[in-house]
Amino acid sequence: MSQHSITQRWFFLVLSLWGSAVSLGGYYGFFSKIDLIWIALLVVTGITIPVAVYYFNVDFHTYIQSLDLKYLTVFHLWRIPAGLWFLYCGSQNLLPERFVNNAGYGDLAVGLLVPVVLLLRFRGKYTMFHIFSVLDFAIAVGTGLTFNLLQVPLMENIATFPTVMIPLFGVCITGALSIMTLDRLIGKRRSLLAT
């Protein structure tokens, strides 16, 4: 078995265990019982650890670099249901309006851009998409983290199931993969400019 296949298996195993742990913790109300500051710290940790592994583990770095940019872009389609869920929660007064507007509409915009980007035929389309995606992501996550730290009323609902799956699973993976993808795209652009 090639190193690539081994790394891929580990990658999907870790994702499965992570998703299962968040799902079970959310379903049984574990995250609702902890202070919101811990949710914020878990999100930051969930983004930081995969990025650190990417930079310090050659096999994982090589694996991420080998992924087709099309698939790293299609992955962002998950943000459409996430955005719709946030908007639904907002319509039920379950989450703060500012957070819902930043996270819900931003996720929808990024998700709906995916098919457009795939149809476009110009060189920098993936770079532009992922920069836009990261900017939107920074606004939404920044709002969520700030509201968590400030303990804004209604923000405690972010820790309820199934909503908690978005920050503690989807956001972490999206944040980490976005950083890795941009690193790859910017590195590629740098090497093209150097030649």
Side-chain angles (χ1 to χ4, degrees):
M1 185 180 299
S2 69
Q3 186 57 51
H4 180 84
S5 298
I6 293 168
T7 305
Q8 186 175 47
R9 285 186 179 194
W10 273 107
F11 179 62
F12 285 107
L13 175 64
V14 169
L15 284 183
S16 300
L17 291 173
W18 184 353
S20 298
V22 173
S23 183
L24 288 171
Y27 182 77
Y28 287 107
F30 170 76
F31 300 113
S32 299
K33 295 173 185 153
I34 63 175
D35 196 277
L36 281 178
I37 196 162
W38 290 106
I39 300 292
L41 289 172
L42 286 171
V43 170
V44 171
T45 303
I47 295 171
T48 305
I49 290 174
V51 171
V53 172
Y54 169 78
Y55 282 113
F56 294 108
N57 183 291
V58 175
D59 294 329
F60 185 59
H61 189 275
T62 304
Y63 171 70
I64 294 295
Q65 292 283 321
S66 75
L67 295 175
D68 192 321
L69 287 168
K70 179 171 60 177
Y71 299 126
L72 290 168
T73 303
V74 168
F75 169 76
H76 287 269
L77 284 172
W78 85 271
R79 293 171 74 172
I80 294 172
L84 291 172
W85 181 254
F86 282 142
L87 293 176
Y88 169 76
C89 289
S91 73
Q92 303 301 306
N93 291 321
L94 296 173
L95 289 169
E97 184 180 356
R98 173 58 62 98
F99 174 75
V100 168
N101 288 337
N102 289 355
Y105 290 113
D107 278 344
L108 268 179
V110 171
L112 292 172
L113 265 179
V114 169
V116 175
V117 169
L118 295 177
L119 291 172
L120 292 174
R121 297 272 181 230
F122 71 93
R123 192 179 191 122
K125 67 180 185 176
Y126 290 121
T127 304
M128 288 177 64
F129 172 80
H130 287 281
I131 288 172
F132 175 74
S133 168
V134 166
L135 291 174
D136 165 69
F137 185 79
I139 291 167
V141 173
T143 305
L145 291 175
T146 302
F147 282 15
N148 270 358
L149 294 172
L150 295 175
Q151 311 232 337
V152 170
L154 296 181
M155 206 59 200
E156 67 272 2
N157 290 320
I158 200 78
T160 60
F161 186 80
T163 309
V164 74
M165 291 297 296
I166 297 172
L168 293 187
F169 186 65
V171 164
C172 297
I173 295 166
T174 303
L177 275 179
S178 294
I179 292 167
M180 296 175 211
T181 304
L182 272 182
D183 174 72
R184 174 179 167 180
L185 289 165
I186 291 167
K188 190 177 185 180
R189 185 171 288 279
R190 244 188 262 124
S191 64
L192 283 172
L193 290 172
T195 57

